Amino acid sequence: MSSVLSGTKIAVLGGDDRELILVSELVRMGATVVVAGFPRERVGHGAFVVNNIEDACKEAEVAILPLPGTSMEGVIRAVYSDQELKLTEKAVANLASNALIIIGSARQFLKDWAKKRGVTLLEIAEIDAVAILNSIPTAEGAIQIAMEETPSTIHGSKTCVIGFGRVGITLARTLKALGSDVTVVARDEGQLARAYEMGCRRAGFDDLHEIMNYSSIVFNTVPEMVLPRSILKYANPEILIIDLAAQPGGTDFEAANAYGLKAILAPGLPGKVAPVFAGKILAEVIPDLVIKELTKPDKNMLYG
Amino acid sequence: MSSVLSGTKIAVLGGDDRELILVSELVRMGATVVVAGFPRERVGHGAFVVNNIEDACKEAEVAILPLPGTSMEGVIRAVYSDQELKLTEKAVANLASNALIIIGSARQFLKDWAKKRGVTLLEIAEIDAVAILNSIPTAEGAIQIAMEETPSTIHGSKTCVIGFGRVGITLARTLKALGSDVTVVARDEGQLARAYEMGCRRAGFDDLHEIMNYSSIVFNTVPEMVLPRSILKYANPEILIIDLAAQPGGTDFEAANAYGLKAILAPGLPGKVAPVFAGKILAEVIPDLVIKELTKPDKNMLYG
Amino acid sequence: MSSVLSGTKIAVLGGDDRELILVSELVRMGATVVVAGFPRERVGHGAFVVNNIEDACKEAEVAILPLPGTSMEGVIRAVYSDQELKLTEKAVANLASNALIIIGSARQFLKDWAKKRGVTLLEIAEIDAVAILNSIPTAEGAIQIAMEETPSTIHGSKTCVIGFGRVGITLARTLKALGSDVTVVARDEGQLARAYEMGCRRAGFDDLHEIMNYSSIVFNTVPEMVLPRSILKYANPEILIIDLAAQPGGTDFEAANAYGLKAILAPGLPGKVAPVFAGKILAEVIPDLVIKELTKPDKNMLYG
Amino acid sequence: MSSVLSGTKIAVLGGDDRELILVSELVRMGATVVVAGFPRERVGHGAFVVNNIEDACKEAEVAILPLPGTSMEGVIRAVYSDQELKLTEKAVANLASNALIIIGSARQFLKDWAKKRGVTLLEIAEIDAVAILNSIPTAEGAIQIAMEETPSTIHGSKTCVIGFGRVGITLARTLKALGSDVTVVARDEGQLARAYEMGCRRAGFDDLHEIMNYSSIVFNTVPEMVLPRSILKYANPEILIIDLAAQPGGTDFEAANAYGLKAILAPGLPGKVAPVFAGKILAEVIPDLVIKELTKPDKNMLYG
C-alpha cells in the first residue's frame, strides 16, 4: 500500500461504478475515505460508509462529486442509493478550512457557496486529460449504438462526424480504423487540416445538407443546434443520427421525428458502456489533482 | 435494368433479409425469379412468390438455398415463413436438366440427390470471396458482443484471437485498429508471421493457458475443441469467451459454466448483425457464379 | 479559368518549387502575377518575370515571400536565382497602399517597415492549417531519413517522439501506422492523453534519459534544448536522433558528436522531400487568405 | 549460452550482414560454426573462419547458403569476399552423411548433387514464415524508394499494388497506413475480397491500363510480364514503377524507357535496406529448421 495520501480525509459523495473504483484507489494510496450514497456491500474494504452528505463532509479536506455534477436543486447522481442525495450549504460548511471540492462541472449555487466558505472548486469535466481519456469510451459507446441500430457494417459505411474537438477526433479515428469513409464537418481550418491528415474527408457546415443526403450515420459532438429542421429535411430516410453532445444535444429531435428519421441522444456514455475504464480514468487523474492542490505553496502556507 | 440473366429461371428457397436483397439484384439483372418461404409483401417487385418448394423448383435452372443450408432432415432456414420449408427429392427432380443448386454447405442426402439427378451442386460457404467478405460482419458482430458484455473498452484491452484463417485475420485487424493489444494463437508459422506483420503478438497453442490468464476477451474461430476444461481452468474469472466457430463451437461450454466463466456461442453473425451488408455479398457473388456455371463450355454443349 | 482574383496584382518574391506551383494556381485564378527570383523558363505561362524585387513590388496589392522568410539582412531564399534576392524598404514602399505581405515568419525590420507603410503583414507559418498540412511531408521526410540511416525496419522498432504539437501528432500517428512502438514525451497531460488514445506510450521529460536508453530512433519536434548533454549521456550508442525543430534544433549536437551518437538536424523538410505537395498546400491556403484579406469590410471601405 | 545446437557442426557459406547475425545466433545456441566468404574481422567470436568452401563443408551436418542462392555456375553471393566463392560437387560430397543444405532456392545442378549424395535440401525462400517476415523490409524498402523518387507524399497519393501474395499484402497494408489511396490488382477473387477488407480498392488485370493512367506509383510483385508495352503505353508520364519481383521483374523496362517512364527494378531489398532485421529473421527461423530436421524420427534412426 502506498502512502502518498496518508492522513488526507476525502469524502466521496454519490456516483456510480466509476466512483467505487476511485474509492479503492484512494484507499490504496493511504487516504481516509468516507463514502455517502452507496450501500455498505458495494464499497471496497478500507473505506467508511455513512448515511448522509453532511456527516461525510465533516473535516474532509477533499470532497469528490460525480462528473455529471448536481441538478439545479443540488441533487447528486447516486445510482446505488435508495434515498435522494442532496448537497447542502451545511455540508460545504462542514468541510475543513481550505478544502477542495472536485466535480465535473458546478452549478452557480455551488460556486457561490465555495467562494463564501473559502473552498477551492475544481471543475474537471473540461480538463483535457479527463475529457480526452473519456472520449475513448464515448467513441466506443457511440459505435456500439451504431452497430446495434444499423443493418449494415461500419466497414464500408459513409459516416459523418460533426465537430472535431476531443470526442470528434477520437470518434473519427476509430470509425476510420473500422474501415468507414468518414467526413468531418468543422469550422476551424486547422481542425479540418488535421482531419485530412488522419485520412478523413473534410467539409464545412455549408455542405452539411448534402452530407446528410449520402451518409448512413451522422455523429454530432457539438453542443449547439447544428442539425435543425432546415438541414434534417435533406437527410436520407435511412440515416441514423447519434447525438453525443451534452443535453439537449445539437439535433432538432422533434423535426427528426416528424421526418421519420432515427435520432438518438446519447450523453454520458463512459459511465454506461465502460464504467470500469471510466473509473480508472478518475483513479488516474483525481489523486494527482488532489496531491497537486494540497501541496500548492500558498496552501502550505495557509496550513502552516 | 440489365439483362445478363435474361430468360434464366431461378428459384430462391427460404432464407432471411439477405435473400431478399439477392432476389432484388437477380430481378434487376433480368432473371425470372420464383421465391418460396417469404410472404408476398416482403418480396420486392418483379419476383414471383409461391407457396411450396416443389412448385418453385419447376423448370428452374438454378435453385438457391441459404448459406446455413438445411438441417439433417432437409428443413430450410426461412425466418419469415410460418410453415416449415422442407427440401424434398421431388423438388430437386423438378429442376431443369443440368440445373445448378447453390447452397452454403450441403448435407450428404442433398449430395446424393444432386448426383442422381445430374444437378451441379455449388457449396459456397467455403468460397474464399464469400467467406472473406462475410468475415467483415462477423468481426463487427463479435466486437459488438464484446462491447455489450464487458464493462471496459476494447481500446487498451488484452484480447486473444484463436485461429488465423479468414475470420481470424479480419477480427485481429479490427481489434488492433480499435487499440486492443491482440495475441494471435495459431499453429502455422506463416500465419503467425502474418500476425506479427499486422502488429499482433503471436503464440502457439502451448501458451494458451497462460494467455487465458491475462486476456480479458478471447475470440475463438477454430471449429475444434481448442478451449477444453484443461485450458479453461487457467482462465481469469473476468474473462469473456466469444466463440465464432460453427456449432458446436470450440469451447467446452459446460466446463466454462462450471468455472463461472462467461462464454457465448455466436455463429451466423453476418445475417444477424448486418443483413443488408451480408445480402449485398450474396448479390455480388452469386450472379457471377450463376453466369460462370451456365456458360461453361460443356454446359453449352449439353444445352445445344 | 476562374476569375476570383481577376485584376489583383500579386508579387511572388523568391522561393523554390513550391512557389512555382503557387504561381500557376494564382494565374489560374485570374491574378496578375509578377515573379522575381526565378529564371523565365521555370515559370509557367501567364506570369510576368522581372529581375528585381523593387520592380516586382510596384503597385502590387499582395507580396508573397517564402515560408522560411528572410535572413536578418533581408536576404530572401531563392533557390533558382543566380543573384542574391534582397528585400528593401523601397520594395515595401513600392507596394500599393493597404497592400498585404504574406510570409512564413517576419523579422523585426520587416514588421517595422510594414507598420510604417501601412502594409498588413500576415505570418502564415503559425497558421494551423498551413502547419498541420506541412506536418505531413515533414513526418514522411523524417521517416525517409530514418529508413535511410538505420539498418533495421521502422516496423518493430522502438521510437520516441518528443513534443506533441502539430508535427509530433502526425509523426506519432505515422510511425504507429508503420508498426513502430512509439513513446510520446510531452509535458501537457492532455497531449499525453491524446497520445494514449492514439495507441502510443506516454512519458514525461523526467523519463527521457531512460527512454534514450532503449529507443532506436528519437525524433525531436520541440524548439528548445530538450536533448542536452545530461540526457544524451544515457543514450544507447546505436541511437539515431532526428531533430525537426527549427534551427538550431533542440539537441546538443556537439555533445552528441562527443558521445559518438548519430544526430541529424533536418528542418524545412516539406520543400525538400515533397515540393509538389508542399506547393499544393500554399496553393490551397494562400489564395483564400488573399481573398479574405482583400475583401475585409474595412479594406473595402478604404478601397471605396 | 544455450546449448540446443551443442555439438552440431554448421557451415555458413557466403552471404552478407544477415548471415553474420545468423552466425552469432548459431554460436550462441552452442553450434560449431565454420564460415567461408567473410574476412576474419567481420565474424563474431566463437566461429571459425576458413578460406574455401570445401574445407568449410568437411563433416558439416548443415550447410547454409544465402537466400539469393547461387548463379547457374554455382557462384555464391558473398559481398565481403575478395575472391569468388563457388559451390562444387566436392564441397557437397564433403558434408556429413545425411547432411542438410539450407538455401533460398536451389538451381537444378544442386538438386542433382543433393539427390546423388543423399543430402536433404531445404529451400527456404518459399517458406511462408520466411517470406512473410521478409515482406516487411521489402515493403519498407519499396516505400523508401518511392519517397526518394517522387516529389510528393505517400499520404494522399494514388498507388497500385499488382499481386496480392506475401509481399503485396504487406505493401498494401503499409501504403494504406501511410494514407495512400491503394488499388490492388489481382486475379483471385478471394485475394480481392481480402484487399477490400483491408480498405483497398480492387481491380482485375483488365483494368490495369486505366489504373496506370491515374496512379502516381505502381508496385509490381508478380514475377511475370504484367506490365508489357501494351499496358505501359497508357501510363501517365509522371508515374513511378517499382518492380519488386525477382529478376527480370514483371515490367518491360525497354518499353518503359522508350515511353520515358521511370521504372526501377528493386529485388532483394531486405538485405539492402534492413540487413539487421533480415538477419534476425534468419536467426529466428533457421535454428528451428535445423533442430526439426536433425531430430526427425527417420533421421534419428539413420543416425542410430
Side-chain angles (χ1 to χ4, degrees):
Chain A
M1 188 184 287
S2 148
S3 56
V4 196
L5 290 175
S6 191
T8 308
K9 191 181 166 205
I10 301 180
V12 174
L13 312 175
D16 54 24
D17 289 325
R18 291 176 281 185
E19 275 69 24
L20 293 175
I21 290 165
L22 171 63
V23 164
S24 298
E25 180 66 12
L26 293 170
V27 167
R28 209 188 55 77
M29 294 175 84
T32 302
V33 184
V34 182
V35 176
F38 292 88
R40 170 69 262 180
E41 67 272 18
R42 289 207 172 260
V43 180
H45 290 291
F48 300 90
V49 179
V50 298
N51 276 331
N52 75 67
I53 293 279
E54 289 168 10
D55 286 355
C57 288
K58 261 179 206 151
E59 293 305 311
E61 291 158 78
V62 184
I64 299 175
L65 283 93
L67 271 189
T70 69
S71 73
M72 299 290 281
E73 292 72 35
V75 178
I76 301 170
R77 192 166 173 272
V79 297
Y80 290 124
S81 178
D82 294 337
Q83 313 155 247
E84 196 180 77
L85 211 68
K86 200 165 169 177
L87 189 64
T88 59
E89 186 167 2
K90 182 154 178 244
V92 175
N94 278 353
L95 294 170
S97 57
N98 301 307
L100 172 68
I101 296 180
I102 295 177
I103 190 171
S105 47
R107 304 279 181 181
Q108 190 54 48
F109 73 84
L110 181 53
K111 291 180 185 173
D112 295 342
W113 293 349
K115 198 170 174 188
K116 193 168 150 193
R117 302 283 172 183
V119 165
T120 303
L121 192 60
L122 218 55
E123 299 184 68
I124 65 170
E126 287 308 302
I127 289 179
D128 254 357
V130 174
I132 291 174
L133 292 175
N134 261 324
S135 75
I136 299 173
T138 299
E140 286 199 14
I143 284 166
Q144 179 182 328
I145 294 173
M147 285 174 167
E148 286 164 355
E149 298 290 336
T150 57
S152 202
T153 53
I154 305 295
H155 186 281
S157 66
K158 289 195 184 304
T159 55
C160 170
V161 175
I162 305 177
F164 204 62
R166 294 170 297 200
V167 169
I169 292 175
T170 303
L171 188 54
R173 186 194 61 70
T174 311
L175 288 167
K176 188 81 199 151
L178 283 167
S180 181
D181 182 351
V182 184
T183 301
V184 169
V185 173
R187 272 188 201 92
D188 184 79
E189 292 291 329
Q191 290 182 337
L192 291 177
R194 178 58 67 196
Y196 172 75
E197 184 270 321
M198 287 166 66
C200 301
R201 296 175 199 277
R202 46 190 171 155
F205 279 88
D206 291 349
D207 302 318
L208 196 46
H209 61 282
E210 197 187 328
I211 293 166
M212 295 300 283
N213 187 28
Y214 68 69
S215 295
S216 54
I217 316 173
V218 171
F219 300 87
N220 175 46
T221 69
V222 179
E224 289 166 33
M225 180 51 65
V226 291
L227 291 175
R229 180 178 292 267
S230 58
I231 294 285
L232 292 174
K233 74 175 174 196
Y234 292 101
N236 82 68
E238 306 296 325
I239 209 167
L240 171 66
I241 297 168
I242 300 178
D243 199 325
L244 304 167
Q247 252 156 346
T251 307
D252 181 339
F253 284 95
E254 208 176 300
N257 195 37
Y259 287 125
L261 305 176
K262 194 186 276 185
I264 296 168
L265 181 61
L269 287 173
K272 287 173 199 155
V273 301
V276 170
F277 182 90
K280 282 182 187 160
I281 295 174
L282 296 183
E284 178 181 325
V285 173
I286 286 183
D288 272 6
L289 289 176
V290 169
I291 292 164
K292 266 186 213 160
E293 279 299 321
L294 296 188
T295 57
K296 268 193 183 165
D298 55 335
K299 285 270 171 185
N300 284 341
M301 258 194 314
L302 289 164
Y303 278 115
Chain B
M1 189 183 286
S2 149
S3 56
V4 196
L5 290 175
S6 190
T8 307
K9 192 181 164 205
I10 301 180
V12 175
L13 312 175
D16 54 24
D17 289 325
R18 290 176 281 185
E19 275 69 25
L20 294 174
I21 289 166
L22 172 62
V23 164
S24 298
E25 179 67 12
L26 294 170
V27 167
R28 210 187 55 76
M29 294 176 85
T32 302
V33 184
V34 182
V35 175
F38 292 89
R40 172 66 262 181
E41 67 273 17
R42 289 208 173 259
V43 180
H45 289 290
F48 300 91
V49 178
V50 298
N51 276 331
N52 75 67
I53 294 278
E54 290 168 10
D55 286 355
C57 287
K58 262 180 205 151
E59 294 304 312
E61 291 157 77
V62 184
I64 299 174
L65 283 94
L67 271 189
T70 69
S71 74
M72 299 291 280
E73 292 73 34
V75 178
I76 301 170
R77 190 164 175 274
V79 298
Y80 290 124
S81 177
D82 294 339
Q83 311 154 247
E84 196 180 76
L85 210 67
K86 200 165 170 178
L87 189 64
T88 60
E89 186 167 4
K90 185 155 174 243
V92 175
N94 277 354
L95 294 170
S97 57
N98 301 307
L100 172 68
I101 295 179
I102 294 176
I103 190 171
S105 48
R107 304 278 181 183
Q108 190 56 46
F109 72 85
L110 181 54
K111 291 179 185 172
D112 295 342
W113 293 349
K115 199 172 175 187
K116 192 168 151 194
R117 302 284 172 183
V119 165
T120 303
L121 193 61
L122 218 57
E123 298 184 68
I124 65 169
E126 287 308 302
I127 290 180
D128 254 357
V130 174
I132 291 173
L133 291 175
N134 260 323
S135 75
I136 299 172
T138 300
E140 286 198 13
I143 284 166
Q144 180 183 328
I145 294 172
M147 285 174 166
E148 288 164 355
E149 299 289 336
T150 56
S152 201
T153 54
I154 305 294
H155 186 282
S157 67
K158 289 196 185 302
T159 55
C160 169
V161 175
I162 305 177
F164 205 62
R166 293 169 299 200
V167 169
I169 292 175
T170 304
L171 189 54
R173 187 194 62 70
T174 311
L175 288 167
K176 189 79 198 152
L178 284 167
S180 180
D181 182 351
V182 184
T183 301
V184 169
V185 174
R187 273 188 201 90
D188 184 79
E189 291 292 329
Q191 291 182 336
L192 291 177
R194 177 59 66 196
Y196 172 74
E197 184 270 320
M198 286 167 65
C200 302
R201 296 175 199 277
R202 44 189 172 157
F205 280 88
D206 290 351
D207 302 319
L208 197 45
H209 61 281
E210 197 187 329
I211 294 166
M212 295 300 283
N213 187 27
Y214 67 69
S215 296
S216 54
I217 316 173
V218 171
F219 300 88
N220 175 45
T221 69
V222 179
E224 287 166 35
M225 180 50 65
V226 292
L227 292 174
R229 179 178 293 267
S230 58
I231 295 285
L232 291 174
K233 75 175 173 196
Y234 293 101
N236 82 68
E238 306 296 326
I239 208 167
L240 170 67
I241 297 168
I242 300 178
D243 198 325
L244 304 167
Q247 253 157 342
T251 307
D252 182 339
F253 285 94
E254 209 176 299
N257 195 38
Y259 287 125
L261 305 176
K262 195 186 276 185
I264 296 170
L265 182 61
L269 285 174
K272 286 174 200 156
V273 301
V276 169
F277 181 90
K280 281 182 188 161
I281 295 174
L282 296 183
E284 178 181 325
V285 172
I286 286 184
D288 273 6
L289 290 175
V290 169
I291 292 164
K292 265 187 213 160
E293 278 300 321
L294 295 189
T295 57
K296 268 192 184 164
D298 55 335
K299 286 269 171 186
N300 284 339
M301 259 195 312
L302 290 164
Y303 278 113
Chain C
M1 188 186 286
S2 147
S3 55
V4 196
L5 289 175
S6 192
T8 308
K9 192 181 164 204
I10 301 179
V12 175
L13 312 176
D16 55 25
D17 289 325
R18 291 177 279 185
E19 275 70 24
L20 293 175
I21 289 166
L22 171 62
V23 164
S24 298
E25 181 66 12
L26 294 171
V27 167
R28 208 188 57 75
M29 294 176 84
T32 301
V33 184
V34 182
V35 177
F38 291 89
R40 172 65 262 182
E41 66 274 16
R42 288 207 173 260
V43 180
H45 289 291
F48 300 90
V49 179
V50 297
N51 277 331
N52 75 67
I53 293 277
E54 291 170 9
D55 286 355
C57 287
K58 263 182 203 148
E59 293 304 312
E61 291 158 76
V62 184
I64 300 174
L65 283 93
L67 273 189
T70 69
S71 73
M72 299 291 280
E73 291 73 34
V75 178
I76 302 170
R77 192 166 173 273
V79 298
Y80 290 124
S81 177
D82 294 339
Q83 312 154 248
E84 196 180 78
L85 211 67
K86 199 165 169 177
L87 189 64
T88 59
E89 186 167 3
K90 181 153 178 244
V92 175
N94 277 354
L95 294 171
S97 55
N98 301 307
L100 172 67
I101 296 179
I102 295 177
I103 190 170
S105 48
R107 305 280 181 180
Q108 191 55 47
F109 72 85
L110 181 53
K111 292 180 185 172
D112 296 342
W113 293 348
K115 197 170 176 190
K116 190 167 151 195
R117 301 285 171 181
V119 166
T120 304
L121 193 60
L122 218 56
E123 298 184 68
I124 65 170
E126 286 309 301
I127 290 179
D128 255 357
V130 173
I132 292 174
L133 292 175
N134 261 323
S135 75
I136 300 173
T138 299
E140 287 199 13
I143 284 166
Q144 179 182 328
I145 294 173
M147 286 175 166
E148 288 165 353
E149 298 289 336
T150 56
S152 202
T153 53
I154 304 295
H155 186 283
S157 66
K158 290 195 183 305
T159 54
C160 169
V161 175
I162 305 176
F164 206 60
R166 295 172 296 201
V167 168
I169 291 175
T170 304
L171 189 54
R173 188 195 59 70
T174 311
L175 288 166
K176 188 81 197 151
L178 284 167
S180 181
D181 182 351
V182 184
T183 301
V184 169
V185 174
R187 273 188 202 92
D188 185 79
E189 292 292 330
Q191 291 182 337
L192 291 177
R194 178 59 66 196
Y196 172 74
E197 184 270 320
M198 288 167 64
C200 301
R201 297 175 198 276
R202 45 189 171 156
F205 280 87
D206 289 351
D207 303 318
L208 196 45
H209 63 281
E210 198 186 328
I211 294 166
M212 294 301 283
N213 186 29
Y214 68 69
S215 297
S216 55
I217 316 174
V218 171
F219 299 87
N220 175 46
T221 69
V222 179
E224 287 165 33
M225 180 51 65
V226 291
L227 291 174
R229 180 178 292 268
S230 58
I231 294 286
L232 291 175
K233 75 175 173 196
Y234 292 100
N236 82 68
E238 305 296 325
I239 209 168
L240 171 65
I241 298 168
I242 300 179
D243 198 325
L244 303 166
Q247 255 159 339
T251 307
D252 181 340
F253 285 95
E254 208 177 300
N257 195 39
Y259 288 124
L261 306 175
K262 195 189 273 186
I264 295 169
L265 181 62
L269 286 174
K272 286 174 200 155
V273 301
V276 169
F277 181 91
K280 282 181 186 160
I281 296 173
L282 296 183
E284 179 181 325
V285 173
I286 286 184
D288 273 7
L289 289 176
V290 168
I291 292 164
K292 266 186 212 159
E293 279 299 320
L294 295 189
T295 58
K296 270 193 182 163
D298 56 335
K299 284 271 170 182
N300 283 341
M301 256 194 316
L302 288 165
Y303 278 115
Chain D
M1 189 185 287
S2 148
S3 56
V4 197
L5 289 175
S6 192
T8 309
K9 191 182 164 203
I10 301 179
V12 175
L13 312 175
D16 55 24
D17 289 324
R18 291 176 280 185
E19 275 69 24
L20 293 175
I21 290 165
L22 171 62
V23 164
S24 298
E25 180 65 13
L26 294 171
V27 167
R28 208 187 56 76
M29 295 176 83
T32 302
V33 185
V34 182
V35 176
F38 291 89
R40 173 66 262 181
E41 67 273 16
R42 289 207 172 261
V43 180
H45 288 293
F48 300 91
V49 178
V50 298
N51 276 330
N52 76 66
I53 294 279
E54 290 170 9
D55 286 356
C57 287
K58 261 182 206 150
E59 292 304 312
E61 291 158 78
V62 184
I64 299 174
L65 283 92
L67 272 189
T70 69
S71 73
M72 300 290 281
E73 291 74 34
V75 178
I76 301 170
R77 191 165 174 274
V79 300
Y80 289 124
S81 177
D82 295 337
Q83 310 155 247
E84 195 179 77
L85 211 68
K86 199 164 169 177
L87 188 65
T88 59
E89 186 166 4
K90 186 158 175 239
V92 175
N94 277 355
L95 294 170
S97 55
N98 302 307
L100 173 68
I101 296 180
I102 295 177
I103 189 170
S105 49
R107 305 278 181 183
Q108 190 55 48
F109 72 85
L110 181 54
K111 291 180 186 172
D112 296 342
W113 293 349
K115 198 171 175 187
K116 192 166 150 195
R117 302 285 172 181
V119 166
T120 303
L121 192 60
L122 219 57
E123 298 184 67
I124 65 169
E126 287 310 302
I127 290 179
D128 255 358
V130 174
I132 291 174
L133 292 175
N134 261 322
S135 75
I136 299 172
T138 299
E140 287 199 12
I143 284 166
Q144 180 182 328
I145 294 173
M147 286 174 166
E148 288 164 353
E149 299 290 335
T150 56
S152 202
T153 52
I154 304 295
H155 186 284
S157 66
K158 291 195 183 305
T159 54
C160 170
V161 174
I162 305 176
F164 205 62
R166 295 170 296 201
V167 168
I169 292 175
T170 304
L171 189 53
R173 188 194 61 69
T174 311
L175 288 167
K176 188 81 198 150
L178 284 167
S180 181
D181 182 351
V182 184
T183 301
V184 169
V185 173
R187 273 189 201 90
D188 184 79
E189 291 293 328
Q191 290 182 337
L192 291 177
R194 178 58 67 196
Y196 172 74
E197 184 269 320
M198 286 167 66
C200 301
R201 297 174 198 276
R202 45 189 172 157
F205 279 88
D206 291 351
D207 302 318
L208 196 45
H209 61 281
E210 198 186 328
I211 294 165
M212 295 300 283
N213 186 29
Y214 69 68
S215 296
S216 55
I217 316 174
V218 171
F219 299 87
N220 175 46
T221 69
V222 179
E224 287 166 34
M225 179 51 64
V226 292
L227 291 174
R229 179 178 292 266
S230 58
I231 294 286
L232 291 176
K233 74 176 174 196
Y234 293 100
N236 82 67
E238 306 296 325
I239 209 168
L240 171 66
I241 298 168
I242 300 178
D243 199 326
L244 303 167
Q247 256 159 341
T251 307
D252 182 341
F253 286 95
E254 209 176 299
N257 195 37
Y259 288 125
L261 306 174
K262 195 187 272 186
I264 296 169
L265 182 61
L269 286 174
K272 286 173 199 156
V273 302
V276 169
F277 181 91
K280 281 181 186 160
I281 296 174
L282 296 183
E284 177 181 326
V285 173
I286 286 183
D288 273 6
L289 289 175
V290 168
I291 291 163
K292 265 186 212 160
E293 278 300 320
L294 295 188
T295 58
K296 268 193 183 163
D298 56 335
K299 285 270 171 185
N300 283 341
M301 256 194 315
L302 289 164
Y303 278 116

